[in-house]
Amino acid sequence: MGSERMEMRKRQVPAAPDAPGAAPGQPGVGSRGSNACCFCWCCCCSCSCLTVRNQEDQRPTIASHELRADLPTWEESPAPTLEEVNAWAQSFDKLMVTPAGRNAFREFLRTEFSEENMLFWMACEELKKEANKNIIEEKARIIYEDYISILSPKEVSLDSRVREVINRNMVEPSQHIFDDAQLQIYTLMHRDSYPRFMNSTVYKDLLQSLSEKPIEA
């Protein structure tokens, strides 16, 4: 009798049901279909999320080399007059206010291997003129890579406080993101390079050539 009761109980136990929501012929949890989602380990090319991501990467952007070319490296200016060159000796501000003065000073900085200070200052001035948000962000990134990054061969000398502020603001840069850094470099050029420029052959030769130039009638 005992063996007959056990046999009856086995027959009454129902078969294990399929996974909830599984359609006939549909792969179970342990198998993967051909259209695996982006969370799958294989990251197959048929994933719809990858398609969206590729479309985002193909959005039209402004070429970095075009914007880098827009940043000034040399300024066109008429030849300075003797009066202008004499005024450069009165103050650093009078030197920096004219394109001819900036070009002459930059030529001197090149002899001291510190031309990047003037290039950075000029790039900041150019950035301030920009109003387009996308261009501001891209130009700010270029300036950061060229003059702020410690990996750049043209890195300018800034204190840690100014660097930290720039790093925080690079998340959403404005046209004034480098104002503190620009002022610091301006002050450095004023105190360090300007006095040597006034005693340099670059300045003295220019002053002499204009002094010896005959006055036009």
Side-chain angles (χ1 to χ4, degrees):
M1 290 292 291
S3 60
E4 292 179 358
R5 289 179 181 176
M6 290 295 294
E7 187 67 20
M8 290 290 291
R9 288 179 181 176
K10 289 180 180 180
R11 292 177 181 177
Q12 291 173 358
V13 175
D18 292 337
Q26 182 176 353
V29 176
S31 61
R32 298 183 184 274
S34 60
N35 293 326
C37 71
C38 64
F39 296 104
C40 68
W41 62 272
C42 64
C43 294
C44 58
C45 60
S46 63
C47 177
S48 60
C49 291
L50 290 179
T51 303
V52 173
R53 197 172 302 160
N54 290 335
Q55 291 174 350
E56 291 178 351
D57 293 341
Q58 293 172 1
R59 288 177 302 181
T61 57
I62 303 170
S64 296
H65 67 274
E66 294 179 0
L67 291 178
R68 185 173 267 107
D70 289 341
L71 297 176
T73 56
W74 188 262
E75 298 177 275
E76 295 184 2
S77 67
T81 64
L82 178 60
E83 182 181 2
E84 287 177 330
V85 175
N86 279 323
W88 298 349
Q90 297 174 12
S91 71
F92 185 60
D93 292 339
K94 290 186 177 181
L95 168 69
M96 291 290 286
V97 77
T98 64
R102 292 192 293 270
N103 284 339
F105 187 52
R106 181 187 164 190
E107 182 181 347
F108 166 74
L109 292 178
R110 188 183 293 116
T111 66
E112 293 201 331
F113 305 100
S114 58
E115 182 186 14
E116 65 275 2
N117 289 333
M118 177 62 78
L119 292 175
F120 171 68
W121 186 89
M122 294 167 62
C124 292
E125 288 295 293
E126 190 68 21
L127 180 63
K128 292 177 184 178
K129 302 174 185 177
E130 190 57 61
N132 184 288
K133 185 176 182 296
N134 292 332
I135 296 180
I136 289 173
E137 291 179 353
E138 187 63 19
K139 282 189 175 182
R141 184 188 63 80
I142 292 172
I143 294 173
Y144 184 94
E145 291 178 353
D146 286 352
Y147 304 109
I148 308 300
S149 172
I150 60 175
L151 301 177
S152 173
K154 297 185 292 183
E155 176 196 4
V156 295
S157 179
L158 299 172
D159 62 40
S160 59
R161 179 192 63 83
V162 171
R163 287 184 179 277
E164 289 174 3
V165 172
I166 292 174
N167 288 336
R168 287 198 303 268
N169 292 336
M170 279 298 293
V171 176
E172 191 172 352
S174 72
Q175 62 265 53
H176 298 288
I177 184 174
F178 301 114
D179 281 5
D180 288 345
Q182 185 187 23
L183 177 59
Q184 195 168 102
I185 294 303
Y186 188 91
T187 303
L188 175 65
M189 292 190 295
H190 182 192
R191 295 178 178 176
D192 186 59
S193 302
Y194 173 64
R196 292 198 299 273
F197 169 72
M198 297 311 303
N199 292 316
S200 69
T201 56
V202 173
Y203 177 74
K204 290 180 178 180
D205 289 349
L206 178 59
L207 185 63
Q208 182 177 358
S209 65
L210 292 174
S211 299
E212 296 173 350
K213 187 177 180 179
I215 300 175
E216 297 180 358

